[in-house]
Amino acid sequence: MRVTTAEIKQGDCLKVLQDFADNTFDLIITSPPYADRRKHTYGGVPPEKYVEWFLPRSEQFLRVLKPTGTFVLNIKEKVENGERHTFVIELILSLRRQGWLWTEEFIWHKKNCYPGKWPNRFRDSWERCLQFNKTRKFKMNQGAVMVPMGDWAKTRLKALGKNDVVRFDSQVGSGFGKNIANWKGRDLAYPTNVLHLATECGNKSHSAAFPPALPEWFIKLFTDEGDSVLDPFVGSGTTCAVAARLRRQSVGIELHRQYVELAQQDLKSADWQLLEKGKRYEIRKR
Ligand SMILES: C[S@@+](CC[C@H](N)C(=O)[O-])C[C@H]1O[C@@H](n2cnc3c(N)ncnc32)[C@H](O)[C@@H]1O
């Protein structure tokens, strides 16, 4: 059986990716540094410079992603001078001009968001997970992320109307079609594009770590076992640890030494037999 590998590389992903061949990865999933004026531990790209900073890097992502692959970008604009900044919207438009298809937008609802009071808005409890593709024929394992049908089915499926027993296509032309009767007697349904996940960075020495369930969901949805996953801003290495657990090959790139060490530590402490081969970790289940 093929050995699962995880590799954490130090450097700017713009440079590091130049060593990778075209069409290498099945999934790129990442949370880049925030657009922020403060030069704190990581990031510090001001919002008005963000698109200009991001595009040379996304050009590399486009090159190294397979035609059947997917790029998931976790990002959220901040409030500045009482307004939402528009850099994410500008970034989406620029990525489309660069050749990406903006296929979907998932919402990560942060279930455990702390309460607060602001004079002119409510607490922010969601982030965007933007899905981009190179082609319309990308790999998608919808069956891998099915969810329990839920209580709605008991009442809704009891009394079916005439539009419920035939495929009823969306009247707004979205391509979405439903046949409610098909779901009778089933235990599992397809999920929505809203992910309800708690943030979990309290136990990590990185303030912006993914909850492992976030990369896990997208890795299951967009890759098969043995496929290759890239996180070009890997931080504490969550994506690679999850990918290894799911037996996907992975590469993580991180600018700062301290986070590279944290990511490597995370891989070492996982419940895996880890064979250190140079800078690469080969992982076999215990
Ligand atoms: C939001 S954090 C990612 C956190 C990650 N998802 C995790 O689970 O820990 C972004 C990371 O990108 C790193 N970074 C910033 N600029 C970078 C660059 N040009 N190339 C690679 N990594 C970079 C930062 O040091 C930071 O750790």
Side-chain angles (χ1 to χ4, degrees):
M1 209 212 317
R2 206 174 155 197
V3 174
T4 303
T5 64
E7 200 173 354
I8 309 289
K9 288 179 162 275
Q10 190 187 354
D12 183 340
C13 57
L14 176 64
K15 286 221 171 88
V16 174
L17 282 175
Q18 285 162 15
D19 296 336
F20 286 81
D22 296 358
N23 308 324
T24 298
F25 296 100
D26 297 279
L27 172 67
I28 301 175
I29 177 162
T30 202
S31 160
Y34 302 135
D36 204 333
R37 297 192 186 290
R38 288 163 298 159
K39 282 251 170 220
H40 53 65
T41 39
Y42 53 83
V45 185
E48 64 279 3
K49 294 251 163 80
Y50 205 84
V51 173
E52 184 191 324
W53 175 83
F54 198 85
L55 284 182
R57 291 166 179 84
S58 55
E59 195 179 329
Q60 287 299 315
F61 306 164
L62 188 64
R63 187 182 64 74
V64 298
L65 187 68
K66 289 181 187 168
T68 49
T70 290
F71 169 32
V72 176
L73 177 61
N74 167 225
I75 199 162
K76 180 69 188 274
E77 55 275 54
K78 282 198 167 180
V79 171
E80 214 177 69
N81 290 332
E83 269 193 289
R84 284 281 170 197
H85 204 284
T86 57
F87 82 91
V88 174
I89 293 163
E90 287 155 27
L91 182 62
I92 294 169
L93 296 175
S94 301
L95 287 170
R96 290 190 72 239
R97 281 192 289 272
Q98 192 171 51
W100 293 97
L101 299 170
W102 179 30
T103 317
E104 180 55 307
E105 173 170 57
F106 294 87
I107 297 299
W108 166 21
H109 165 221
K110 299 171 169 184
K111 287 200 299 187
N112 58 341
C113 181
Y114 51 82
K117 166 91 178 75
W118 290 266
N120 54 0
R121 67 192 64 243
F122 294 121
R123 66 180 177 157
D124 203 352
S125 73
W126 65 275
E127 292 190 11
R128 302 167 187 277
C129 291
L130 302 169
Q131 180 192 342
F132 296 94
N133 293 94
K134 280 170 94 160
T135 68
R136 287 179 173 76
K137 292 210 164 163
F138 53 89
K139 181 184 286 190
M140 190 179 192
N141 301 325
Q142 297 195 355
V145 291
M146 290 186 91
V147 292
M149 184 66 84
D151 289 341
W152 70 272
K154 286 190 199 114
T155 42
R156 180 69 179 83
L157 295 176
K158 232 186 227 168
L160 296 175
K162 73 174 169 33
N163 285 337
D164 295 332
V165 292
V166 291
R167 181 183 159 96
F168 192 65
D169 287 323
S170 157
Q171 290 169 331
V172 293
S174 67
F176 178 78
K178 59 181 181 183
N179 181 344
I180 300 285
N182 270 347
W183 297 96
K184 245 184 149 167
R186 299 209 202 177
D187 295 330
L188 295 175
Y190 295 111
T192 68
N193 54 7
V194 179
L195 311 183
H196 302 276
L197 304 172
T199 54
E200 276 181 47
C201 48
N203 55 353
K204 279 212 170 185
S205 310
H206 195 296
S207 60
F210 277 148
L214 185 90
E216 177 168 343
W217 198 81
F218 288 108
I219 289 171
K220 284 180 175 166
L221 181 59
F222 291 123
T223 66
D224 296 315
E225 262 192 41
D227 280 357
S228 296
V229 177
L230 166 71
D231 187 337
F233 304 100
V234 81
S236 61
T238 320
T239 301
C240 291
V242 172
R245 177 160 51 79
L246 298 173
R247 303 199 72 76
R248 272 69 167 174
Q249 317 295 332
S250 67
V251 173
I253 305 171
E254 170 54 49
L255 192 58
H256 295 292
R257 181 83 242 156
Q258 87 236 45
Y259 297 135
V260 172
E261 281 164 12
L262 189 64
Q264 287 171 340
Q265 203 48 47
D266 209 34
L267 282 173
K268 279 184 193 159
S269 58
D271 189 19
W272 305 92
Q273 180 195 332
L274 196 120
L275 306 174
E276 204 165 339
K277 294 229 168 152
K279 287 198 172 134
R280 217 158 83 154
Y281 297 93
E282 291 190 356
I283 297 158
R284 291 164 219 245
K285 204 166 181 180
R286 261 193 195 126

